[in-house]
Amino acid sequence: MNLNDLRRYAVARSLFAPTTLMDAIERLGGFVQADPLRAPARAQDLTLRHRVKAYQAGDLERRYPRLALQEDFFINYGFVTPGLRALMHPRTARRVWDKARWKLADAVLAEVERLGEAHPAEVDAALGHGKVKNWFGGNSRLSTELLDGLHYRGHLDVVHRDSGTRCYALAAPWEAPDDPQGAMDAMADALVQKYAPLPAGSLSTLVSMLGLGAPQWRDLRKTTLARIKTRLGHARIDGVDWYWPADEDPQAGWRIPSKVRLLAPFDPLVWTRRRFEMLWGWAYRFEAYTPAPKRVRGHYALPLLWRDQVIGWGNLKIVKGRLQHELGFVERRPKDPAFERALEAELASMAEFLGLPA
């Protein structure tokens, strides 16, 4: 086995044949990372467009109130299935609230219960909490901060969004898992399902991040890592230990179509930067929050996958109702006519996904 095998396996298992929205999310470990930036679409939509039949930008948010999904924090913020969410709650936050903060929070819960479904502005208008310094040094409404904290602690559900703002309702009471180690094992399995194959360093990082989704069981992370390694397929390649689900074979002759794919910055193929650099030989960096003069590839550069090689990136924008693109390449643009045809097809698919003229 070699890195070529792992690269083909990684691409083929992650970019499975398009299916239904809920089936795709289940195949992604029960979790899709969310991000508010839209350039030209949000990361969750850019991730799902490759994996869901006839997916259109915004479908997840439009369908969310009718789906068996919840917004919540896993290893980062996104959309989780009920089964995965139940493994993390009742969640005990690392930041402990004192009695005074809980008194304010209880007032917020009472107001949400009175309203049934609550917009943060409605809660703030009723309680008049005013502004506070948030964790990154700016100002935010205390009511909004309390709503966020109560949602993280599992007391509230996000029922829908109003122009991007989360609206809340009371959550049902949680029943703690009987087996915390079993819950951690299941969460670790979900991460492997989404991101395999994984080098040992990336697997260790991901398991460590379970302390963000289940901080009450942070002390179990070391044991969880040791246990999952015994359940996974494994090989040592070029001095690095790699892991994947035991029932999968990286050398099973995975077929790679002659397609171009523009991937989200948080796509499962991209997110684990250590693995990305090992498989494709260059370092991708997300530069949306990098000062413009220091950017190398662009504000929201989308990695460009050609067959099983990430050969460059694309920056897309909508100008006067039309999709425009600028491409960059790690080495040089392929001269293969098949690449140009595949690129044209991908740009047409992206325009359709965005609801724009081809």
Side-chain angles (χ1 to χ4, degrees):
M1 192 181 301
N2 55 44
L3 284 179
N4 290 331
D5 295 323
L6 290 181
R7 184 167 51 245
R8 293 174 64 84
Y9 166 55
V11 171
R13 76 178 302 277
S14 183
L15 290 171
F16 45 80
T19 181
T20 65
L21 177 55
M22 286 305 302
D23 183 56
I25 293 174
E26 289 284 2
R27 293 185 66 169
L28 292 172
F31 171 70
V32 176
Q33 183 174 346
D35 188 81
L37 294 181
R38 182 159 44 194
R42 294 186 176 95
Q44 54 268 36
D45 292 325
L46 291 167
T47 297
L48 292 169
R49 67 175 284 258
H50 295 296
R51 299 168 172 92
V52 178
K53 294 178 181 177
Y55 190 85
Q56 296 284 300
D59 275 355
L60 180 58
E61 186 172 331
R62 284 188 290 269
R63 296 176 57 187
Y64 173 80
R66 305 186 301 277
L67 295 172
L69 287 175
Q70 258 296 314
E71 293 192 35
D72 205 344
F73 201 96
F74 182 34
I75 59 167
N76 36 49
Y77 193 82
F79 298 84
V80 300
T81 57
L84 182 58
R85 193 180 186 217
L87 297 171
M88 298 183 282
H89 290 282
R91 180 185 282 151
T92 303
R94 292 185 67 192
R95 181 185 175 189
V96 179
W97 283 353
D98 60 20
K99 290 183 178 180
R101 179 55 64 100
W102 270 113
K103 184 177 181 179
L104 294 171
D106 287 339
V108 169
L109 288 172
E111 185 61 19
V112 173
E113 183 177 22
R114 185 185 72 81
L115 293 168
E117 293 186 4
H119 188 288
E122 295 176 304
V123 176
D124 190 66
L127 300 179
H129 283 149
K131 293 184 178 181
V132 293
K133 288 286 185 183
N134 53 39
W135 65 273
F136 52 86
N139 291 320
S140 62
R141 293 282 180 184
L142 175 57
S143 297
T144 299
E145 185 175 292
L146 290 168
L147 287 165
D148 288 346
L150 288 165
H151 176 227
Y152 178 77
R153 288 164 173 80
H155 297 281
L156 296 175
D157 292 338
V158 175
V159 289
H160 64 88
R161 286 188 177 243
D162 180 4
S163 300
T165 299
R166 291 188 290 249
C167 295
Y168 300 93
L170 292 184
W174 292 100
E175 184 174 339
D178 295 330
D179 179 9
Q181 182 60 70
M184 288 288 281
D185 290 344
M187 285 187 276
D189 287 339
L191 292 173
V192 172
Q193 172 62 27
K194 180 163 186 172
Y195 295 112
L198 287 162
S202 295
L203 178 62
S204 177
T205 297
L206 286 166
V207 171
S208 177
M209 292 178 72
L210 290 176
L212 302 172
Q216 66 273 25
W217 298 325
R218 289 172 58 85
D219 292 346
L220 296 177
R221 290 175 297 172
K222 184 176 180 179
T223 303
T224 301
L225 178 61
R227 286 165 63 94
I228 196 170
K229 286 182 176 180
T230 68
R231 301 194 302 275
L232 298 176
H234 165 257
R236 189 168 182 83
I237 300 171
D238 297 339
V240 176
D241 290 315
W242 288 80
Y243 296 90
W244 57 84
D247 60 350
E248 296 179 5
D249 180 3
Q251 295 178 294
W254 301 85
R255 295 182 66 252
I256 307 295
S258 293
K259 286 187 174 182
V260 166
R261 320 245 195 171
L262 287 163
L263 303 173
F266 309 119
D267 190 278
L269 281 173
V270 178
W271 189 88
T272 309
R273 304 292 194 249
R274 179 191 285 108
R275 186 188 77 161
F276 184 98
E277 190 164 353
M278 288 180 178
L279 292 181
W280 287 291
W282 61 281
Y284 170 77
R285 297 290 182 267
F286 182 55
E287 298 178 320
Y289 302 107
T290 301
K294 295 183 178 181
R295 290 175 188 152
V296 175
R297 298 185 174 91
H299 167 256
Y300 205 82
L302 307 178
L304 190 155
L305 177 70
W306 166 230
R307 294 174 175 154
D308 67 341
Q309 295 286 343
V310 181
I311 62 172
W313 58 92
N315 286 279
L316 307 184
K317 59 183 178 181
I318 301 170
V319 179
K320 296 181 179 180
R322 295 278 180 172
L323 183 65
Q324 294 188 359
H325 67 278
E326 294 181 358
L327 303 181
F329 295 91
V330 179
E331 294 181 354
R332 57 185 179 275
R333 188 184 186 114
K335 296 182 179 180
D336 186 349
F339 170 78
E340 297 299 333
R341 292 193 297 270
L343 175 61
E344 184 177 348
E346 171 67 347
L347 292 171
S349 174
M350 179 70 78
E352 182 178 3
F353 154 77
L354 296 168
L356 301 174

